[in-house]
Amino acid sequence: MNCLQSWPEPVVRVQYLSESGMRAIPDRYIKPPRDRPTLKPGSEINQDVDIPVVDLQNLFNKDRALQEETLRRISSACIDWGFFQAVNHGVSHELMRRTREVWREFFNLPVEVKQEYANTPSTYEGYGSRLGVEKGAILDWSDYFFLHYMPVSLRNQSKWPSQPSSCRELVSEYGAEVVKLCGRLLKAMSKNLGLKEDYLQNAFGGENIGACLRVNFYPKCPQPDLTLGLSSHSDPGGMTILLPDHDVAGLQVRKNDKWITVKPVPNAFIVNVGDQIQVLSNAVYKSVEHRVIVNSEKDRVSLAFFYNPKSDLLIEPAKELVSEDRPALYNPMTFDEYRLYIRTKGPCGKAQVESLKSNR
Ligand code: OGA
Ligand code: NI
């Protein structure tokens, strides 16, 4: 594991490149032509397809019909898209706004202040500018801050930003609310899969789930057509709750070999299925590839909250979803082992979950 102790090359902050006023981005950020965004950011916004919007208001309504309608919508979104925007999700809009804004302020602090939190690939905690440790890799146009929220044993607030002064408190409060939302969504997904309502939560380790927050910062880019803010990947964990920026789009979801730019609905969360739910559901739900485009006009902040299985539990297809006709598609693996791949190689589409396929 020595390769995960330090970065293979000196770390360059993308914010620094962006603010230097350079007109041409360094070669390290130029993607091969097949990976570049084809349309100018913003111009696809008039597209007529988008990921579904699901209103969670009636998820636990006493009225069975209303509840079932909500469950059906979640089910189709998970099956058809692996992604949806959730509204009426129960998390305070004010808390969402304040938490996003405190992170924007953090990223607007001088690079030297953030440098105190510089991370290493051993845990990724702190201020970072790349995923993966492959020497010579083409990099993404973003900086980020990564922190552990759960389990409590890994939550170390001294590794969270001390300024702005409300940052730690807001992250604690925000995390608690989002964890509750994740519990509700896992119940809904379990029911929709025909499993006991606690199945997924228990498979994730009950109370002992893992959760982390990656705050992504995508600085303005002078040549947005040549690069990506975040390369195509599926999320390795269980489920992701993304709080996107309120007025600048960037997230693209892959649908039938096309990239769909998500138009953020005000106060919505973007929910997506991760690789671990693909494995547990024996591919009834699939994690879907997504990526981020950047632009020359506005920087963008997003908060990705990853809700994950306890890191040392074996994750494998639910017995209830395995039959002679539909054998287990994946070999069991712990999330600890699983996430080493992205931590080493960086984002690689869906190559990883494919590599778990059992050979029968
Ligand atoms: C991620 C991610 C999307 C975004 O952090 O895994 O996909 O819009 N982020 O920042
Ligand atoms: Ni992602």
Side-chain angles (χ1 to χ4, degrees), residues 83 214 230 233-236 240 242 251 272 288 290-291 304 306:
F83 260 92
R214 186 168 68 221
L230 185 54
H233 64 284
S234 61
D235 292 342
T240 306
L242 183 85
L251 174 65
N272 66 287
V288 168
H290 52 285
R291 67 179 191 184
F306 302 109

mmCIF file of all heavy atoms in Angstrom, residues 83 214 230 233-236 240 242 251 272 288 290-291 304 306, ligand 2:
data_model
loop_
_atom_site.group_PDB
_atom_site.id
_atom_site.type_symbol
_atom_site.label_atom_id
_atom_site.label_comp_id
_atom_site.label_asym_id
_atom_site.label_seq_id
_atom_site.Cartn_x
_atom_site.Cartn_y
_atom_site.Cartn_z
ATOM 1 N N PHE A 83 -30.734 7.559 -11.058
ATOM 2 C CA PHE A 83 -30.586 8.952 -10.626
ATOM 3 C C PHE A 83 -31.945 9.600 -10.512
ATOM 4 O O PHE A 83 -32.823 9.337 -11.344
ATOM 5 C CB PHE A 83 -29.859 9.748 -11.733
ATOM 6 C CG PHE A 83 -28.396 9.964 -11.489
ATOM 7 C CD1 PHE A 83 -27.456 9.055 -11.989
ATOM 8 C CD2 PHE A 83 -27.955 11.076 -10.799
ATOM 9 C CE1 PHE A 83 -26.096 9.260 -11.786
ATOM 10 C CE2 PHE A 83 -26.596 11.288 -10.597
ATOM 11 C CZ PHE A 83 -25.666 10.377 -11.082
ATOM 12 N N ARG A 214 -17.724 14.782 0.223
ATOM 13 C CA ARG A 214 -16.711 15.396 -0.630
ATOM 14 C C ARG A 214 -17.316 16.668 -1.202
ATOM 15 O O ARG A 214 -18.343 16.621 -1.883
ATOM 16 C CB ARG A 214 -16.251 14.491 -1.762
ATOM 17 C CG ARG A 214 -15.069 15.158 -2.515
ATOM 18 C CD ARG A 214 -14.342 14.244 -3.477
ATOM 19 N NE ARG A 214 -15.187 13.917 -4.580
ATOM 20 C CZ ARG A 214 -15.285 12.717 -5.126
ATOM 21 N NH1 ARG A 214 -14.576 11.714 -4.641
ATOM 22 N NH2 ARG A 214 -16.081 12.491 -6.133
ATOM 23 N N LEU A 230 -14.880 16.549 -13.561
ATOM 24 C CA LEU A 230 -14.749 15.235 -12.935
ATOM 25 C C LEU A 230 -15.009 14.217 -14.040
ATOM 26 O O LEU A 230 -16.043 14.279 -14.707
ATOM 27 C CB LEU A 230 -15.769 15.114 -11.787
ATOM 28 C CG LEU A 230 -15.748 13.877 -10.892
ATOM 29 C CD1 LEU A 230 -14.376 13.626 -10.281
ATOM 30 C CD2 LEU A 230 -16.781 14.019 -9.759
ATOM 31 N N HIS A 233 -17.484 8.375 -14.058
ATOM 32 C CA HIS A 233 -17.314 7.357 -13.014
ATOM 33 C C HIS A 233 -18.694 6.940 -12.541
ATOM 34 O O HIS A 233 -19.673 7.634 -12.803
ATOM 35 C CB HIS A 233 -16.526 7.923 -11.819
ATOM 36 C CG HIS A 233 -17.262 9.037 -11.115
ATOM 37 N ND1 HIS A 233 -17.347 10.311 -11.638
ATOM 38 C CD2 HIS A 233 -17.988 9.054 -9.968
ATOM 39 C CE1 HIS A 233 -18.073 11.065 -10.839
ATOM 40 N NE2 HIS A 233 -18.484 10.338 -9.811
ATOM 41 N N SER A 234 -18.763 5.821 -11.830
ATOM 42 C CA SER A 234 -19.959 5.566 -11.031
ATOM 43 C C SER A 234 -19.474 5.672 -9.590
ATOM 44 O O SER A 234 -18.290 5.518 -9.316
ATOM 45 C CB SER A 234 -20.550 4.188 -11.341
ATOM 46 O OG SER A 234 -19.625 3.171 -11.039
ATOM 47 N N ASP A 235 -20.389 5.989 -8.680
ATOM 48 C CA ASP A 235 -19.936 6.166 -7.296
ATOM 49 C C ASP A 235 -19.713 4.805 -6.653
ATOM 50 O O ASP A 235 -20.582 3.936 -6.711
ATOM 51 C CB ASP A 235 -20.950 7.008 -6.511
ATOM 52 C CG ASP A 235 -20.994 8.458 -7.011
ATOM 53 O OD1 ASP A 235 -20.042 8.872 -7.698
ATOM 54 O OD2 ASP A 235 -21.970 9.158 -6.715
ATOM 55 N N PRO A 236 -18.545 4.594 -6.050
ATOM 56 C CA PRO A 236 -18.225 3.266 -5.523
ATOM 57 C C PRO A 236 -19.079 2.849 -4.323
ATOM 58 O O PRO A 236 -19.254 1.667 -4.076
ATOM 59 C CB PRO A 236 -16.751 3.396 -5.105
ATOM 60 C CG PRO A 236 -16.476 4.862 -4.993
ATOM 61 C CD PRO A 236 -17.437 5.543 -5.923
ATOM 62 N N THR A 240 -25.526 8.155 -3.111
ATOM 63 C CA THR A 240 -24.972 9.502 -3.000
ATOM 64 C C THR A 240 -26.099 10.518 -2.984
ATOM 65 O O THR A 240 -27.052 10.406 -3.758
ATOM 66 C CB THR A 240 -24.032 9.793 -4.185
ATOM 67 O OG1 THR A 240 -23.049 8.767 -4.245
ATOM 68 C CG2 THR A 240 -23.339 11.145 -4.024
ATOM 69 N N LEU A 242 -26.391 14.353 -3.564
ATOM 70 C CA LEU A 242 -25.613 15.484 -4.060
ATOM 71 C C LEU A 242 -26.408 16.779 -3.931
ATOM 72 O O LEU A 242 -27.553 16.858 -4.374
ATOM 73 C CB LEU A 242 -25.264 15.265 -5.534
ATOM 74 C CG LEU A 242 -24.372 16.366 -6.135
ATOM 75 C CD1 LEU A 242 -22.898 16.080 -5.844
ATOM 76 C CD2 LEU A 242 -24.591 16.515 -7.632
ATOM 77 N N LEU A 251 -23.345 18.777 -13.832
ATOM 78 C CA LEU A 251 -23.427 17.317 -13.767
ATOM 79 C C LEU A 251 -24.085 16.760 -15.028
ATOM 80 O O LEU A 251 -25.124 17.242 -15.463
ATOM 81 C CB LEU A 251 -24.254 16.917 -12.538
ATOM 82 C CG LEU A 251 -24.561 15.428 -12.390
ATOM 83 C CD1 LEU A 251 -23.287 14.609 -12.160
ATOM 84 C CD2 LEU A 251 -25.543 15.188 -11.250
ATOM 85 N N ASN A 272 -28.322 9.352 -6.219
ATOM 86 C CA ASN A 272 -27.968 8.290 -7.160
ATOM 87 C C ASN A 272 -27.492 7.023 -6.485
ATOM 88 O O ASN A 272 -26.981 7.030 -5.364
ATOM 89 C CB ASN A 272 -26.977 8.771 -8.230
ATOM 90 C CG ASN A 272 -25.621 9.140 -7.702
ATOM 91 O OD1 ASN A 272 -25.444 10.165 -7.066
ATOM 92 N ND2 ASN A 272 -24.643 8.294 -7.963
ATOM 93 N N VAL A 288 -24.999 4.418 -12.244
ATOM 94 C CA VAL A 288 -24.928 4.970 -13.592
ATOM 95 C C VAL A 288 -23.738 5.920 -13.698
ATOM 96 O O VAL A 288 -23.423 6.650 -12.754
ATOM 97 C CB VAL A 288 -26.273 5.648 -13.940
ATOM 98 C CG1 VAL A 288 -26.171 6.491 -15.192
ATOM 99 C CG2 VAL A 288 -27.354 4.575 -14.108
ATOM 100 N N HIS A 290 -21.553 9.031 -14.550
ATOM 101 C CA HIS A 290 -21.795 10.467 -14.616
ATOM 102 C C HIS A 290 -20.458 11.195 -14.623
ATOM 103 O O HIS A 290 -19.415 10.597 -14.333
ATOM 104 C CB HIS A 290 -22.693 10.916 -13.461
ATOM 105 C CG HIS A 290 -22.226 10.492 -12.097
ATOM 106 N ND1 HIS A 290 -22.341 9.196 -11.628
ATOM 107 C CD2 HIS A 290 -21.625 11.182 -11.103
ATOM 108 C CE1 HIS A 290 -21.845 9.123 -10.418
ATOM 109 N NE2 HIS A 290 -21.389 10.311 -10.069
ATOM 110 N N ARG A 291 -20.482 12.456 -14.996
ATOM 111 C CA ARG A 291 -19.269 13.257 -15.067
ATOM 112 C C ARG A 291 -19.659 14.716 -14.884
ATOM 113 O O ARG A 291 -20.847 15.040 -14.791
ATOM 114 C CB ARG A 291 -18.574 13.044 -16.415
ATOM 115 C CG ARG A 291 -19.384 13.594 -17.578
ATOM 116 C CD ARG A 291 -18.673 13.394 -18.921
ATOM 117 N NE ARG A 291 -19.345 14.146 -19.970
ATOM 118 C CZ ARG A 291 -19.002 14.107 -21.249
ATOM 119 N NH1 ARG A 291 -17.996 13.342 -21.641
ATOM 120 N NH2 ARG A 291 -19.643 14.836 -22.143
ATOM 121 N N ALA A 304 -21.110 16.334 -2.253
ATOM 122 C CA ALA A 304 -21.497 14.937 -2.487
ATOM 123 C C ALA A 304 -21.390 14.197 -1.158
ATOM 124 O O ALA A 304 -20.296 14.055 -0.603
ATOM 125 C CB ALA A 304 -20.600 14.301 -3.531
ATOM 126 N N PHE A 306 -21.691 10.754 0.631
ATOM 127 C CA PHE A 306 -21.669 9.334 0.268
ATOM 128 C C PHE A 306 -22.106 8.490 1.469
ATOM 129 O O PHE A 306 -21.485 8.566 2.539
ATOM 130 C CB PHE A 306 -20.263 8.912 -0.150
ATOM 131 C CG PHE A 306 -19.720 9.707 -1.322
ATOM 132 C CD1 PHE A 306 -18.695 10.628 -1.147
ATOM 133 C CD2 PHE A 306 -20.238 9.535 -2.599
ATOM 134 C CE1 PHE A 306 -18.184 11.359 -2.216
ATOM 135 C CE2 PHE A 306 -19.737 10.258 -3.680
ATOM 136 C CZ PHE A 306 -18.712 11.173 -3.488
HETATM 137 NI NI NI B 2 -20.083 10.819 -8.509
#
